[in-house]
Amino acid sequence: MRISELSRRADVPVATVKFYLREGLLPPGELTSATQARYADAHLERLRLVRALVTGVGLSIDSTRQVLALIDHPPGEVAEVFGAVQQLLTPTDAVDPARERSTRTLVEQWGWTCEEGYDAPLRRLAGALAAVDAAGFEIPDGVLDRYAAAMHAVAEIEIAHVPRTSLSEAVRYMVLGSVLMEPVLLAVRRLAEAQVATASEENFRPG
Amino acid sequence: MRISELSRRADVPVATVKFYLREGLLPPGELTSATQARYADAHLERLRLVRALVTGVGLSIDSTRQVLALIDHPPGEVAEVFGAVQQLLTPTDAVDPARERSTRTLVEQWGWTCEEGYDAPLRRLAGALAAVDAAGFEIPDGVLDRYAAAMHAVAEIEIAHVPRTSLSEAVRYMVLGSVLMEPVLLAVRRLAEAQVATASEENFRPG
C-alpha cells in the first residue's frame, strides 16, 4: 500500500507517519520509484503499536524506540519482554531502602516473586506506601492483602486475553491494557465504594 | 493547648495553622488574653482533617471548605456525606450522553445503583471508557465484570474499617483512603500482572 493508505488505515496523519519514519520507529517501505514507497501489513501493525505507545500511553520517542527494540530483539519469552517494558513504563523515584525491603517482604508473603531487574513495580509500591504514611493515613489490617487478591484476579483475566497473533500485538495489548485501563479501574473502585457505603450504612454509622 | 502545641501535635507549622484560621477552615480558639487563645482536642482533629484534605488529597481551599460544611451540617447518613464528598473529589469533563447511558446500563448489570446527584464516579468511568476506545484498545469480554467484582471486594474491606469515633474521622478516613490508596492499588496491579505473566508463560506465548 502507499503511504496515504497506510495513514488512512491506521488513522494517523501522513505527516506523523513521515515523522515516525525519520525517527526510525517505522522501517522504510520498499522503494517503487525515486519518490514513492510501498508498505506492507507489517508496517500497519507497527504503526498502530507506535501510535498506541506515543499517543495512548504517552511514552517519549526514546522510550518507544526501546520498546520496539525489545519486540524486535526479544530477550526471551513474552513475560520477559513485558517485564522489560514495565521497567520503561514505571518511572520510580528513589525509595528508602528500608521501605523497599519491608515492601518486598510484604509482597513475598503474598507468594509473589520480585525478580531483580524487574523491580520497578515493587519500588513504585514502596513509594506509594511511603506517601500514604507521610499523609498520616494508617492502612487497616487486611486491606493490602485484599488488594493483592483482587489484583491477581484482575491480572489473570487480563493476561488470559493476550493476543497470540504476534509479539508486537501481544506487547501492544499488554502495554495499553496496563496503562489505559488504570483510570477505568479507579473509576470502578469509586463506584464500588459508593455502592458499598450506601448498602452498609448501618454498619459504619459513627457513634 | 496553645497554638504552638496544636502545631506540634498535628505536625503543621504555626504559620499554616494561622492561615487555616484566617480562611475559616479551623474555628477560632477560646481567647485567654488579647493575644492568646486556647485550643481543644476538637481543633486538633479538625486540623488533621484539613491538613489531609489540602496536602494529602490536594483539594483547593474552597473545596476543603465545602467538605467541612458537609461534616458540620451533614445532609444525612455518612454514606450521603461520602457521596457528596465524592462529587467534590471527582471532577469530570463533559461526557457524551450516549456513552453515559451505556455506562449506566453496564453498571446496573452489576446490580449497582447510581443515584442522581451522586453520579460523578459514573461519569468518570464513562470518560475513562471513552479514552480507551479512542486509543484503539478493545476491552476483552469479562474484564470489566472482573473489575467490578474485584473492586467490590476491595470496597467492602475498606468500608468495614471506617472509624466510628466521629463523622469527621470517618470522612477523613474515607477521603484519604479513596485518594491516597489509588497509587497503591495500581502498583499492586502492575506487580500482579508481572506475577501472572511470569507464571502463565506457557499460556500466552504467541504463535
Side-chain angles (χ1 to χ4, degrees):
Chain A
M1 71 192 91
R2 299 256 188 95
I3 195 169
S4 56
E5 186 183 347
L6 181 67
S7 156
R8 186 177 51 70
R9 288 178 63 185
D11 195 21
V12 173
V14 169
T16 306
V17 176
K18 287 182 173 169
F19 170 71
Y20 293 160
L21 284 164
R22 280 199 306 276
E23 289 288 334
L25 302 181
L26 199 62
E30 185 194 345
L31 281 180
T32 54
S33 77
T35 57
Q36 288 209 329
R38 197 163 51 193
Y39 299 89
D41 284 348
H43 287 95
L44 180 59
E45 185 177 298
R46 170 59 53 106
L47 180 54
R48 290 180 69 215
L49 173 61
V50 170
R51 183 59 157 184
L53 294 172
V54 174
T55 308
V57 175
L59 285 191
S60 69
I61 297 297
D62 267 357
S63 294
T64 301
R65 194 177 283 118
Q66 290 179 62
V67 172
L68 298 176
L70 284 165
I71 291 171
D72 294 336
H73 307 284
E77 297 294 337
V78 176
E80 280 166 81
V81 177
F82 185 53
V85 172
Q86 284 274 31
Q87 295 287 109
L88 290 172
L89 288 181
T90 314
T92 43
D93 300 332
V95 173
D96 172 45
R99 168 75 66 179
E100 188 172 333
R101 275 194 303 276
S102 66
T103 306
R104 190 177 290 273
T105 303
L106 171 73
V107 168
E108 286 171 354
Q109 280 167 2
W110 299 334
W112 296 3
T113 54
C114 305
E115 287 173 50
E116 269 192 62
Y118 301 97
D119 50 5
L122 182 80
R123 277 180 284 114
R124 184 175 159 182
L125 177 58
L129 291 172
V132 168
D133 260 8
F137 184 75
E138 202 178 320
I139 303 174
D141 281 351
V143 165
L144 291 175
D145 297 343
R146 185 72 66 95
Y147 279 17
M151 291 303 93
H152 199 272
V154 160
E156 274 182 336
I157 193 164
E158 289 176 331
I159 285 179
H161 283 96
V162 172
R164 294 172 174 76
T165 44
S166 69
L167 187 55
S168 175
E169 283 295 303
V171 169
R172 176 175 170 275
Y173 170 89
M174 294 176 88
V175 170
L176 282 184
S178 263
V179 174
L180 291 179
M181 294 300 278
E182 288 187 341
V184 173
L185 185 72
L186 294 180
V188 172
R189 174 167 173 259
R190 292 287 176 98
L191 271 167
E193 285 172 350
Q195 187 63 25
V196 174
T198 308
S200 64
E201 220 163 71
E202 286 302 312
N203 294 331
F204 69 93
R205 185 181 295 157
Chain B
M1 70 192 95
R2 299 254 189 96
I3 195 168
S4 56
E5 187 183 347
L6 181 67
S7 155
R8 187 177 51 71
R9 286 177 64 186
D11 196 20
V12 174
V14 169
T16 306
V17 177
K18 287 182 174 170
F19 170 69
Y20 293 161
L21 284 164
R22 279 200 306 276
E23 289 288 334
L25 301 180
L26 200 60
E30 184 194 346
L31 282 181
T32 53
S33 76
T35 57
Q36 289 212 328
R38 198 163 49 194
Y39 299 89
D41 284 348
H43 287 95
L44 179 60
E45 186 177 298
R46 170 61 53 108
L47 179 55
R48 290 180 68 214
L49 173 61
V50 170
R51 184 58 157 184
L53 294 171
V54 173
T55 309
V57 175
L59 286 191
S60 69
I61 297 298
D62 268 357
S63 294
T64 301
R65 196 178 282 117
Q66 290 179 63
V67 172
L68 298 176
L70 284 165
I71 292 171
D72 294 335
H73 308 283
E77 297 293 338
V78 175
E80 282 167 78
V81 176
F82 185 53
V85 171
Q86 284 275 29
Q87 296 286 111
L88 290 172
L89 287 181
T90 313
T92 44
D93 299 332
V95 173
D96 173 44
R99 168 74 66 179
E100 187 172 333
R101 275 193 302 277
S102 66
T103 306
R104 189 179 290 275
T105 303
L106 171 73
V107 168
E108 286 171 355
Q109 281 168 0
W110 298 334
W112 295 4
T113 55
C114 305
E115 288 174 48
E116 270 193 59
Y118 300 97
D119 50 5
L122 182 79
R123 277 181 284 114
R124 184 174 161 180
L125 177 58
L129 291 172
V132 169
D133 260 8
F137 184 75
E138 201 177 322
I139 303 175
D141 281 351
V143 166
L144 291 175
D145 297 343
R146 185 73 65 94
Y147 279 17
M151 291 303 94
H152 199 274
V154 160
E156 275 183 334
I157 193 165
E158 289 176 332
I159 285 181
H161 283 96
V162 172
R164 295 170 174 79
T165 43
S166 69
L167 187 55
S168 175
E169 282 296 303
V171 169
R172 176 175 171 274
Y173 170 88
M174 294 177 87
V175 170
L176 281 184
S178 262
V179 175
L180 291 179
M181 293 300 278
E182 288 185 343
V184 173
L185 185 71
L186 294 179
V188 172
R189 174 165 173 262
R190 292 287 176 96
L191 271 167
E193 286 173 348
Q195 187 62 26
V196 174
T198 309
S200 64
E201 219 162 73
E202 286 303 313
N203 294 330
F204 70 94
R205 185 180 295 156

